[in-house]
Amino acid sequence: MVCIVAFLVVLVLSAVSAKYRRLLGTAWGCAWRRVTLRPCDTTFREDVKNSMLAPLAVRAPRLVRPASIAIEVIAALMVVSLVVSLYLLGRSGLNLFVYGTCDKQDTQACALAAEACSIGGAPDFWQSIGEGNVVGAFGDEFSSLGETIAAVPSRMKAWDAADYVSPDATYLGGYREGLPVALEVLDPGCRFCAELFRNIEASGFAKTHNLAYLAYPITSSLGSKFPNSPLVASYLAAVQAYEAAHGEGGDAGRMTGDWYILEQLFTGTDSGGVGWQEWMNGADAAGARAQLQQWLVDAGYSAEAVDEIDALSGSDDVAAALTRTRATVEDEIRTVSIPTLIAGGGLHAGVRDADTLARLG
């Protein structure tokens, strides 16, 4: 290990001083043989150690052997540290290319990532280590890396949002022939979804695209990240099923009840000035359900229609639709960030500003 560390030191020094360049070839030869598990065929390794130990041999000969062992241990730790650092750098770069964030478990931990709510996934490596699950920690780490590598080809393809919209999809402002389809993966409780929605409105993006969505409540082993998101998602799916059954979802210029709910959540406030999304995230289930029903009334639905939508929200058909949506997000789109927008032939993870949205074709 000493010769590997010495090679790295010589490599750096030779970049700034010519006198070290004559040692570069020798250092590389020795380091390469050690990397390939062969003994060094020169005295370079011993020369380096002797030069470090010579002053100590004069002053305290009995400490030479312990110092020699210490040098080997320190060199080994430095090499291991270098290998781990290179691995983490490579993994982070690969995650950034594939998912738009260097940390799949916590998107906001990456300064280069767009703002987003993290879907998460396998337990954190150090969390598993702390729990004593060493085998599981390494297994999850390499499994996660394998998933990232497998997703690389999909990130280089041209994305077509129409391939992922649900059969009962509704479109903001209604579907208009001739406009490209765009698709947003959202969680009703995620504040970054609200920010993206406001940017979509400010940019006029929905006027140049047929914008649909997939409602994906973020969940973990502890339950839903936002307590009422599953309820809101079930109402959104119920409205879509209602509109599909009554043949009204495609009327251009008409805002369907699901989009009205999203608009209220993402842009509206209650009488006290509290954002509806913030209110919904803290409301009890009964209060949340009552507010969703009131929004449907405000959107122009009759009492009978609201009752039908409420019944649909707890139906097997809606549960199956939400299961299909989850499978689409996790198995086909494979994003780790909410919101995610498919538009302009690309996959865009996290919030995009109004100017960027205006430029998407």
Side-chain angles (χ1 to χ4, degrees):
M1 295 296 182
V2 173
C3 55
I4 297 176
V5 175
F7 164 70
L8 297 174
V9 173
V10 170
L11 181 64
V12 173
L13 292 177
S14 64
V16 296
S17 177
K19 72 177 184 178
Y20 292 102
R21 291 172 190 165
R22 59 186 179 84
L23 297 174
L24 196 56
T26 303
W28 167 246
C30 184
W32 176 248
R33 290 185 67 86
R34 295 298 295 164
V35 168
T36 54
L37 304 179
R38 292 177 295 170
C40 186
D41 58 357
T42 71
T43 61
F44 179 72
R45 173 175 173 273
E46 295 303 323
D47 290 343
V48 171
K49 286 182 64 176
N50 291 340
S51 66
M52 298 173 68
L53 293 171
L56 184 61
V58 174
R59 294 179 176 83
R62 286 182 297 180
L63 296 179
V64 170
R65 181 173 176 78
S68 177
I69 296 173
I71 289 173
E72 291 285 359
V73 171
I74 293 172
L77 292 175
M78 292 178 67
V79 171
V80 170
S81 177
L82 174 65
V83 170
V84 171
S85 297
L86 291 175
Y87 168 76
L88 293 176
L89 179 64
R91 185 196 65 177
S92 297
L94 190 61
N95 283 337
L96 188 62
F97 172 73
V98 173
Y99 300 113
T101 177
C102 12
D103 189 339
K104 290 169 61 175
Q105 264 50 16
D106 183 5
T107 58
Q108 287 303 289
C110 179
L112 299 177
E115 292 181 314
C117 293
S118 178
I119 290 178
D124 179 77
F125 178 83
W126 292 111
Q127 178 185 346
S128 297
I129 291 291
E131 295 171 352
N133 186 14
V134 177
V135 174
F138 281 97
D140 290 339
E141 175 68 21
F142 293 126
S143 174
S144 176
L145 179 62
E147 291 175 359
T148 303
I149 293 173
V152 169
S154 69
R155 293 318 190 249
M156 295 187 289
K157 72 177 184 180
W159 286 79
D160 185 354
D163 294 338
Y164 305 98
V165 296
S166 65
D168 293 340
T170 57
Y171 299 87
L172 183 56
Y175 185 85
R176 290 143 294 172
E177 292 291 342
L179 295 183
V181 174
L183 178 68
E184 180 187 354
V185 181
L186 58 85
D187 183 324
C190 175
R191 65 185 179 92
F192 298 114
C193 293
E195 185 175 342
L196 178 60
F197 188 88
R198 291 191 291 270
N199 291 344
I200 286 172
E201 288 194 332
S203 67
F205 181 83
K207 296 178 181 178
T208 58
H209 293 77
N210 287 310
L211 179 62
Y213 67 89
L214 294 176
Y216 179 88
I218 301 172
T219 60
S220 69
S221 58
L222 301 177
S224 298
K225 188 167 188 174
F226 306 102
N228 285 317
S229 282
L231 174 63
V232 176
S234 70
Y235 259 74
L236 297 177
V239 173
Q240 290 182 331
Y242 176 89
E243 294 289 343
H246 291 76
E248 299 175 350
D251 295 347
R254 174 174 175 267
M255 177 176 284
T256 53
D258 53 335
W259 280 107
Y260 184 83
I261 288 173
L262 290 174
E263 183 176 61
Q264 294 303 308
L265 276 174
F266 293 157
T267 66
T269 59
D270 66 8
S271 58
V274 177
W276 278 122
Q277 185 184 61
E278 181 182 351
W279 179 92
M280 183 65 71
N281 286 339
D284 59 65
R289 183 180 295 273
Q291 186 58 58
L292 290 169
Q293 293 174 0
Q294 182 59 51
W295 282 333
L296 290 176
V297 172
D298 295 343
Y301 289 79
S302 66
E304 293 77 10
V306 172
D307 288 342
E308 184 176 343
I309 291 170
D310 181 63
L312 281 171
S313 69
S315 68
D316 291 340
D317 288 343
V318 163
L322 294 174
T323 299
R324 288 193 300 271
T325 294
R326 185 164 294 276
T328 299
V329 174
E330 295 177 354
D331 301 333
E332 298 180 40
I333 299 175
R334 292 192 282 188
T335 184
V336 298
S337 303
I338 299 294
T340 289
L341 181 68
I342 302 176
L347 184 75
H348 312 278
V351 176
R352 292 296 185 269
D353 60 33
D355 290 339
T356 299
L357 292 170
R359 291 194 299 268
L360 289 177

